mmCIF file of all heavy atoms in Angstrom:
data_model
loop_
_atom_site.group_PDB
_atom_site.id
_atom_site.type_symbol
_atom_site.label_atom_id
_atom_site.label_comp_id
_atom_site.label_asym_id
_atom_site.label_seq_id
_atom_site.Cartn_x
_atom_site.Cartn_y
_atom_site.Cartn_z
ATOM 1 N N LEU A 3 3.883 1.459 -1.104
ATOM 2 C CA LEU A 3 4.550 1.520 -2.376
ATOM 3 C C LEU A 3 3.626 2.116 -3.455
ATOM 4 O O LEU A 3 4.035 2.975 -4.243
ATOM 5 C CB LEU A 3 5.001 0.130 -2.808
ATOM 6 C CG LEU A 3 5.809 0.050 -4.113
ATOM 7 C CD1 LEU A 3 7.075 0.915 -4.048
ATOM 8 C CD2 LEU A 3 6.204 -1.390 -4.385
ATOM 9 N N SER A 4 2.344 1.728 -3.423
ATOM 10 C CA SER A 4 1.421 2.295 -4.409
ATOM 11 C C SER A 4 1.208 3.797 -4.162
ATOM 12 O O SER A 4 1.090 4.567 -5.117
ATOM 13 C CB SER A 4 0.081 1.562 -4.377
ATOM 14 O OG SER A 4 -0.627 1.776 -3.190
ATOM 15 N N ASN A 5 1.241 4.203 -2.882
ATOM 16 C CA ASN A 5 1.111 5.634 -2.603
ATOM 17 C C ASN A 5 2.366 6.385 -3.071
ATOM 18 O O ASN A 5 2.264 7.494 -3.606
ATOM 19 C CB ASN A 5 0.890 5.863 -1.107
ATOM 20 C CG ASN A 5 -0.508 5.443 -0.683
ATOM 21 O OD1 ASN A 5 -1.459 5.513 -1.458
ATOM 22 N ND2 ASN A 5 -0.641 4.967 0.532
ATOM 23 N N GLN A 6 3.542 5.762 -2.937
ATOM 24 C CA GLN A 6 4.795 6.425 -3.390
ATOM 25 C C GLN A 6 4.784 6.542 -4.933
ATOM 26 O O GLN A 6 5.265 7.523 -5.463
ATOM 27 C CB GLN A 6 6.013 5.609 -2.945
ATOM 28 C CG GLN A 6 7.333 6.204 -3.415
ATOM 29 C CD GLN A 6 7.540 7.617 -2.971
ATOM 30 O OE1 GLN A 6 7.392 7.945 -1.787
ATOM 31 N NE2 GLN A 6 7.930 8.518 -3.887
ATOM 32 N N VAL A 7 4.255 5.537 -5.604
ATOM 33 C CA VAL A 7 4.152 5.594 -7.062
ATOM 34 C C VAL A 7 3.320 6.830 -7.461
ATOM 35 O O VAL A 7 3.655 7.528 -8.412
ATOM 36 C CB VAL A 7 3.577 4.307 -7.640
ATOM 37 C CG1 VAL A 7 3.210 4.444 -9.083
ATOM 38 C CG2 VAL A 7 4.596 3.183 -7.470
ATOM 39 N N GLY A 8 2.259 7.081 -6.715
ATOM 40 C CA GLY A 8 1.444 8.274 -7.026
ATOM 41 C C GLY A 8 2.220 9.536 -6.917
ATOM 42 O O GLY A 8 2.083 10.440 -7.771
ATOM 43 N N VAL A 9 3.076 9.642 -5.916
ATOM 44 C CA VAL A 9 3.951 10.830 -5.787
ATOM 45 C C VAL A 9 4.893 10.922 -6.965
ATOM 46 O O VAL A 9 5.094 11.973 -7.546
ATOM 47 C CB VAL A 9 4.714 10.751 -4.431
ATOM 48 C CG1 VAL A 9 5.781 11.833 -4.370
ATOM 49 C CG2 VAL A 9 3.764 10.871 -3.267
ATOM 50 N N ASP A 10 5.482 9.784 -7.345
ATOM 51 C CA ASP A 10 6.395 9.768 -8.471
ATOM 52 C C ASP A 10 5.704 10.137 -9.759
ATOM 53 O O ASP A 10 6.290 10.842 -10.633
ATOM 54 C CB ASP A 10 7.074 8.385 -8.608
ATOM 55 C CG ASP A 10 8.039 8.062 -7.503
ATOM 56 O OD1 ASP A 10 8.395 9.024 -6.739
ATOM 57 O OD2 ASP A 10 8.451 6.921 -7.377
ATOM 58 N N LEU A 11 4.455 9.703 -9.909
ATOM 59 C CA LEU A 11 3.696 10.095 -11.150
ATOM 60 C C LEU A 11 3.477 11.588 -11.219
ATOM 61 O O LEU A 11 3.497 12.195 -12.286
ATOM 62 C CB LEU A 11 2.375 9.331 -11.205
ATOM 63 C CG LEU A 11 2.443 7.881 -11.625
ATOM 64 C CD1 LEU A 11 1.105 7.190 -11.417
ATOM 65 C CD2 LEU A 11 2.945 7.731 -13.036
ATOM 66 N N GLU A 12 3.254 12.209 -10.056
ATOM 67 C CA GLU A 12 3.124 13.670 -10.020
ATOM 68 C C GLU A 12 4.425 14.334 -10.492
ATOM 69 O O GLU A 12 4.393 15.348 -11.194
ATOM 70 C CB GLU A 12 2.734 14.154 -8.621
ATOM 71 C CG GLU A 12 1.314 13.813 -8.273
ATOM 72 C CD GLU A 12 0.948 14.256 -6.841
ATOM 73 O OE1 GLU A 12 1.537 15.255 -6.377
ATOM 74 O OE2 GLU A 12 0.068 13.625 -6.256
ATOM 75 N N ILE A 13 5.550 13.776 -10.080
ATOM 76 C CA ILE A 13 6.839 14.311 -10.492
ATOM 77 C C ILE A 13 7.001 14.152 -11.998
ATOM 78 O O ILE A 13 7.476 15.087 -12.688
ATOM 79 C CB ILE A 13 7.988 13.647 -9.697
ATOM 80 C CG1 ILE A 13 7.899 14.018 -8.231
ATOM 81 C CG2 ILE A 13 9.368 14.057 -10.288
ATOM 82 C CD1 ILE A 13 8.840 13.197 -7.329
ATOM 83 N N VAL A 14 6.610 12.997 -12.531
ATOM 84 C CA VAL A 14 6.681 12.774 -13.988
ATOM 85 C C VAL A 14 5.866 13.848 -14.691
ATOM 86 O O VAL A 14 6.287 14.431 -15.707
ATOM 87 C CB VAL A 14 6.194 11.346 -14.378
ATOM 88 C CG1 VAL A 14 5.994 11.226 -15.866
ATOM 89 C CG2 VAL A 14 7.193 10.295 -13.865
ATOM 90 N N HIS A 15 4.677 14.103 -14.161
ATOM 91 C CA HIS A 15 3.799 15.121 -14.768
ATOM 92 C C HIS A 15 4.488 16.513 -14.753
ATOM 93 O O HIS A 15 4.435 17.217 -15.768
ATOM 94 C CB HIS A 15 2.470 15.168 -14.026
ATOM 95 C CG HIS A 15 1.518 16.146 -14.563
ATOM 96 N ND1 HIS A 15 0.896 16.033 -15.818
ATOM 97 C CD2 HIS A 15 1.043 17.338 -14.073
ATOM 98 C CE1 HIS A 15 0.115 17.070 -16.047
ATOM 99 N NE2 HIS A 15 0.186 17.881 -15.002
ATOM 100 N N LYS A 16 5.105 16.843 -13.653
ATOM 101 C CA LYS A 16 5.820 18.143 -13.566
ATOM 102 C C LYS A 16 6.981 18.201 -14.528
ATOM 103 O O LYS A 16 7.199 19.206 -15.200
ATOM 104 C CB LYS A 16 6.285 18.400 -12.125
ATOM 105 C CG LYS A 16 5.171 18.722 -11.173
ATOM 106 C CD LYS A 16 5.705 18.894 -9.752
ATOM 107 C CE LYS A 16 4.564 19.114 -8.800
ATOM 108 N NZ LYS A 16 4.970 19.169 -7.411
ATOM 109 N N LEU A 17 7.713 17.099 -14.626
ATOM 110 C CA LEU A 17 8.844 17.045 -15.539
ATOM 111 C C LEU A 17 8.382 17.203 -16.987
ATOM 112 O O LEU A 17 9.030 17.888 -17.796
ATOM 113 C CB LEU A 17 9.626 15.734 -15.380
ATOM 114 C CG LEU A 17 10.410 15.636 -14.083
ATOM 115 C CD1 LEU A 17 10.926 14.180 -13.929
ATOM 116 C CD2 LEU A 17 11.569 16.609 -14.032
ATOM 117 N N ALA A 26 11.837 12.657 -17.262
ATOM 118 C CA ALA A 26 10.545 12.029 -17.098
ATOM 119 C C ALA A 26 10.585 10.601 -17.580
ATOM 120 O O ALA A 26 10.023 9.675 -16.930
ATOM 121 C CB ALA A 26 9.450 12.808 -17.868
ATOM 122 N N LEU A 29 12.467 8.498 -14.956
ATOM 123 C CA LEU A 29 11.619 8.181 -13.789
ATOM 124 C C LEU A 29 10.527 7.170 -14.161
ATOM 125 O O LEU A 29 10.205 6.312 -13.372
ATOM 126 C CB LEU A 29 10.989 9.485 -13.236
ATOM 127 C CG LEU A 29 10.172 9.332 -11.960
ATOM 128 C CD1 LEU A 29 10.926 8.622 -10.855
ATOM 129 C CD2 LEU A 29 9.722 10.729 -11.483
ATOM 130 N N THR A 30 10.037 7.287 -15.369
ATOM 131 C CA THR A 30 9.021 6.315 -15.834
ATOM 132 C C THR A 30 9.608 4.912 -15.853
ATOM 133 O O THR A 30 8.929 3.940 -15.466
ATOM 134 C CB THR A 30 8.496 6.731 -17.205
ATOM 135 O OG1 THR A 30 7.941 8.028 -17.144
ATOM 136 C CG2 THR A 30 7.432 5.762 -17.695
ATOM 137 N N ASP A 32 11.939 3.783 -13.904
ATOM 138 C CA ASP A 32 11.991 3.381 -12.555
ATOM 139 C C ASP A 32 10.652 2.938 -12.047
ATOM 140 O O ASP A 32 10.519 1.986 -11.292
ATOM 141 C CB ASP A 32 12.543 4.538 -11.689
ATOM 142 C CG ASP A 32 12.766 4.111 -10.236
ATOM 143 O OD1 ASP A 32 13.443 3.045 -10.011
ATOM 144 O OD2 ASP A 32 12.261 4.806 -9.346
ATOM 145 N N LEU A 33 9.590 3.632 -12.495
ATOM 146 C CA LEU A 33 8.252 3.259 -12.084
ATOM 147 C C LEU A 33 7.820 1.896 -12.635
ATOM 148 O O LEU A 33 7.003 1.226 -12.001
ATOM 149 C CB LEU A 33 7.250 4.360 -12.530
ATOM 150 C CG LEU A 33 7.298 5.614 -11.699
ATOM 151 C CD1 LEU A 33 6.534 6.742 -12.396
ATOM 152 C CD2 LEU A 33 6.745 5.376 -10.332
ATOM 153 N N LYS A 36 8.880 -0.434 -10.022
ATOM 154 C CA LYS A 36 7.981 -0.343 -8.869
ATOM 155 C C LYS A 36 6.648 -1.026 -9.141
ATOM 156 O O LYS A 36 6.080 -1.639 -8.240
ATOM 157 C CB LYS A 36 7.791 1.123 -8.462
ATOM 158 C CG LYS A 36 8.982 1.721 -7.788
ATOM 159 C CD LYS A 36 8.726 3.130 -7.306
ATOM 160 C CE LYS A 36 9.959 3.700 -6.659
ATOM 161 N NZ LYS A 36 9.790 5.106 -6.262
ATOM 162 N N TYR A 87 -4.395 -2.309 -10.095
ATOM 163 C CA TYR A 87 -3.559 -1.086 -10.030
ATOM 164 C C TYR A 87 -2.270 -1.314 -10.803
ATOM 165 O O TYR A 87 -1.861 -0.502 -11.629
ATOM 166 C CB TYR A 87 -3.247 -0.768 -8.573
ATOM 167 C CG TYR A 87 -2.215 0.266 -8.361
ATOM 168 C CD1 TYR A 87 -2.504 1.627 -8.380
ATOM 169 C CD2 TYR A 87 -0.868 -0.100 -8.156
ATOM 170 C CE1 TYR A 87 -1.554 2.598 -8.182
ATOM 171 C CE2 TYR A 87 0.100 0.860 -7.957
ATOM 172 C CZ TYR A 87 -0.244 2.188 -7.999
ATOM 173 O OH TYR A 87 0.723 3.139 -7.799
ATOM 174 N N LEU A 91 -1.159 0.649 -14.060
ATOM 175 C CA LEU A 91 0.103 1.383 -13.980
ATOM 176 C C LEU A 91 1.022 0.989 -15.118
ATOM 177 O O LEU A 91 1.657 1.839 -15.769
ATOM 178 C CB LEU A 91 0.776 1.184 -12.633
ATOM 179 C CG LEU A 91 2.095 1.916 -12.416
ATOM 180 C CD1 LEU A 91 1.905 3.425 -12.549
ATOM 181 C CD2 LEU A 91 2.656 1.546 -11.005
ATOM 182 N N LEU A 95 2.434 3.504 -17.914
ATOM 183 C CA LEU A 95 3.867 3.739 -18.127
ATOM 184 C C LEU A 95 4.232 3.518 -19.588
ATOM 185 O O LEU A 95 5.040 4.272 -20.167
ATOM 186 C CB LEU A 95 4.690 2.851 -17.196
ATOM 187 C CG LEU A 95 4.483 3.135 -15.730
ATOM 188 C CD1 LEU A 95 5.175 2.110 -14.870
ATOM 189 C CD2 LEU A 95 4.914 4.549 -15.360
ATOM 190 N N LEU A 98 2.962 6.610 -21.314
ATOM 191 C CA LEU A 98 3.834 7.777 -21.023
ATOM 192 C C LEU A 98 5.116 7.696 -21.842
ATOM 193 O O LEU A 98 5.566 8.713 -22.414
ATOM 194 C CB LEU A 98 4.157 7.846 -19.541
ATOM 195 C CG LEU A 98 3.023 8.350 -18.638
ATOM 196 C CD1 LEU A 98 3.399 8.194 -17.163
ATOM 197 C CD2 LEU A 98 2.664 9.810 -18.962
#
Side-chain angles (χ1 to χ4, degrees):
L3 184 59
S4 67
N5 288 329
Q6 179 58 48
V7 167
V9 171
D10 290 348
L11 284 171
E12 289 179 27
I13 294 170
V14 168
H15 181 69
K16 288 178 185 174
L17 289 169
L29 184 53
T30 301
D32 185 51
L33 285 167
K36 286 183 180 176
Y87 168 86
L91 181 59
L95 297 173
L98 285 172

